[in-house]
Amino acid sequence: MITRVSRIFILALLSSVMCAEGKLSAPFSTSADAAGLIQDSPVTQLLDNAQAGIRRGDLAGAAVALEQALALEKGNKTARMALINVLMRLTRWAEAEQHAQILRQQFPDETGSFYFLALIAFQRGQLPVALEMANHCLERGDRRSEVYKLLALIEYLLQQYDKFEAHIRETIKLNPTDADAYYHLGRYYFEDKRYKDALGAFQTTFKIQPAHYKAHYYAGLLHEGENDGERVKQEYQAAIQIIELQKIRYPWPFTDLGKWLVNEGEYDRGVGWLYRATRNDPTSPHAWYHYAKALFQNGASFEVKEAILEAIRLDPGYSEAYYLLARYYQKTGEDRLSKETFAKFDDLKKNPIPSPYGLRRW
């Protein structure tokens, strides 16, 4: 089962790898156009239209233009690679894979198709296939930092931790300004309980990318372990400020700041942050559960019940939420419902159901 920490780790690294591959570093051109032999051909115009669409965020329009270019010139490698990129960014994975396979057939010695196929297999959870494709890149001499970063993630999920650490370090060696690579190394140290090393990696992340909100959040967790309340609040609030500025769904620092304040005796402020966690991401069962748990300290209100039921609706195997709901029924005198819910809690403890959100099962 993928834990809460590693699941977020997966999504974060996939995002960083996808973004790195998705950026188009040079204008589209065919080799003939580059030699000045073709001016304003239909294919050239379509490639220009596609690039303009990407620049203004019209990925669907760019995909159409690239498909039209390939209809006219099936062997145009630039157009096909750009189309695969765009399709992945649109999460049209089946189409992206189809074009990556065509690219592989047309250019068997190129490594781009293997990298795309590795990314697609990774997204689908086909880790052995993803590992095989990424290793094909290395075997063919493609030693970009992005390849090593993707390999590191795959190896982490396959619990090949020595290889993970070696490859994430190679990523950093090849690209010392890759803030995400330092962040992922820090996350690995965090899970391995190497807290001093984790904090050092996060601090390097800040130097490169001060607005790295996930690194701020995990630095806050580290300071929680040290019981350093001021730095806990400082890091969580730094993360929240970035999240709100960038309009991102990421409720964890809201939730953990709220929990910290409630435990410190600042009940009203803490509940306020917990409520804001549910507003930041209404699909987070973790946020709803802790909001309900804090409210329950002040009585068994109907709002408590609503929040618990929402957590359970989102994550039906959330055993802690069932326990809290059973206590709610117990408090309100609903003995039959309390007994039934305690029984459900006991059953989930004995037979845990994996969380679709990667929440830990205790």
Side-chain angles (χ1 to χ4, degrees):
M1 184 183 72
I2 296 173
T3 67
R4 186 257 293 191
V5 173
S6 60
R7 185 180 180 87
I8 298 172
F9 182 86
I10 294 166
L11 297 174
L13 188 48
L14 177 58
S15 176
S16 66
V17 171
M18 286 288 296
C19 289
E21 184 62 18
K23 291 175 182 174
L24 302 172
S25 58
F28 297 126
S29 64
T30 62
S31 58
D33 184 38
L37 301 177
I38 298 176
Q39 297 295 330
D40 297 323
S41 71
V43 170
T44 302
Q45 186 60 54
L46 286 165
L47 292 176
D48 288 343
N49 292 346
Q51 179 145 297
I54 291 170
R55 284 173 175 162
R56 66 174 179 268
D58 180 13
L59 296 179
V64 171
L66 291 166
E67 287 166 348
Q68 292 172 346
L70 287 169
L72 295 172
E73 193 176 312
K74 294 181 180 179
N76 192 306
K77 182 170 69 173
T78 300
R80 195 162 311 272
M81 291 185 74
L83 178 58
I84 296 165
N85 244 311
V86 168
L87 291 171
M88 288 197 298
R89 292 167 69 182
L90 289 168
T91 68
R92 288 160 57 176
W93 300 103
E95 295 169 74
E97 182 180 18
Q98 180 182 2
H99 283 283
Q101 293 289 4
I102 293 171
L103 183 69
R104 182 180 178 181
Q105 292 168 6
Q106 292 177 332
F107 305 96
D109 296 327
E110 294 284 344
T111 62
S113 60
F114 292 104
Y115 180 65
F116 287 133
L117 289 168
L119 276 174
I120 293 163
F122 168 79
Q123 189 278 335
R124 291 176 164 175
Q126 300 167 347
L127 298 182
V129 175
L131 184 64
E132 179 186 1
M133 294 296 106
N135 276 319
H136 279 319
C137 291
L138 292 186
E139 291 164 4
R140 287 163 171 76
D142 186 350
R143 299 185 178 276
R144 292 174 297 143
S145 63
E146 292 88 350
V147 174
Y148 282 107
K149 188 188 289 188
L150 180 58
L151 264 174
L153 174 58
I154 297 165
E155 288 156 352
Y156 186 90
L157 294 177
L158 292 173
Q159 300 182 3
Q160 298 175 7
Y161 298 123
D162 290 345
K163 290 183 179 180
F164 161 82
E165 188 168 354
H167 284 145
I168 202 69
R169 287 190 176 281
E170 188 65 23
T171 302
I172 291 168
K173 179 180 176 182
L174 290 168
N175 185 5
T177 61
D178 189 336
D180 272 333
Y182 284 104
Y183 162 70
H184 297 311
L185 181 61
R187 289 291 306 279
Y188 165 66
Y189 288 148
F190 179 88
E191 292 194 37
D192 200 39
K193 297 180 170 50
R194 293 154 67 178
Y195 297 128
K196 184 177 179 181
D197 291 333
L199 187 58
F202 293 141
Q203 287 172 340
T204 303
T205 304
F206 300 147
K207 290 177 183 177
I208 300 168
Q209 187 180 331
H212 202 296
Y213 61 94
K214 291 180 181 177
H216 280 291
Y217 168 60
Y218 275 91
L221 288 179
L222 287 171
H223 293 311
E224 272 203 36
E226 298 168 345
N227 204 32
D228 188 340
E230 287 306 310
R231 297 190 73 180
V232 167
K233 289 182 277 190
Q234 178 184 342
E235 294 294 355
Y236 287 157
Q237 287 172 339
I240 289 167
Q241 185 177 9
I242 298 162
I243 289 164
E244 292 189 324
L245 183 64
Q246 297 183 10
K247 302 186 186 319
I248 297 165
R249 277 192 177 189
Y250 192 74
W252 300 98
F254 295 87
T255 305
D256 283 11
L257 178 58
K259 288 162 55 183
W260 179 269
L261 291 170
V262 168
N263 290 337
E264 289 289 290
E266 297 186 61
Y267 178 81
D268 290 339
R269 285 186 64 206
V271 168
W273 283 110
L274 288 162
Y275 175 75
R276 287 176 66 176
T278 68
R279 297 302 89 199
N280 172 267
D281 187 359
T283 68
S284 169
H286 181 75
W288 284 109
Y289 166 73
H290 283 285
Y291 178 54
K293 187 176 179 181
L295 289 176
F296 190 58
Q297 292 184 26
N298 213 26
S301 66
F302 183 69
E303 191 176 7
V304 172
K305 181 181 178 181
E306 282 189 319
I308 302 170
L309 290 176
E310 184 62 12
I312 291 171
R313 184 187 71 81
L314 291 164
D315 188 350
Y318 203 157
S319 57
E320 292 94 331
Y322 279 101
Y323 181 78
L324 184 60
L325 182 61
R327 288 181 58 209
Y328 169 86
Y329 286 136
Q330 194 176 53
K331 191 85 169 178
T332 56
E334 299 174 82
D335 293 338
R336 180 181 61 81
L337 287 173
S338 176
K339 289 178 182 178
E340 289 175 358
T341 310
F342 272 127
K344 178 68 175 179
F345 164 73
D346 287 335
D347 181 61
L348 286 171
K349 291 290 284 184
K350 294 173 185 174
N351 305 288
I353 300 172
S355 170
Y357 298 86
L359 296 177
R360 294 187 189 275
R361 300 307 195 204
W362 303 104

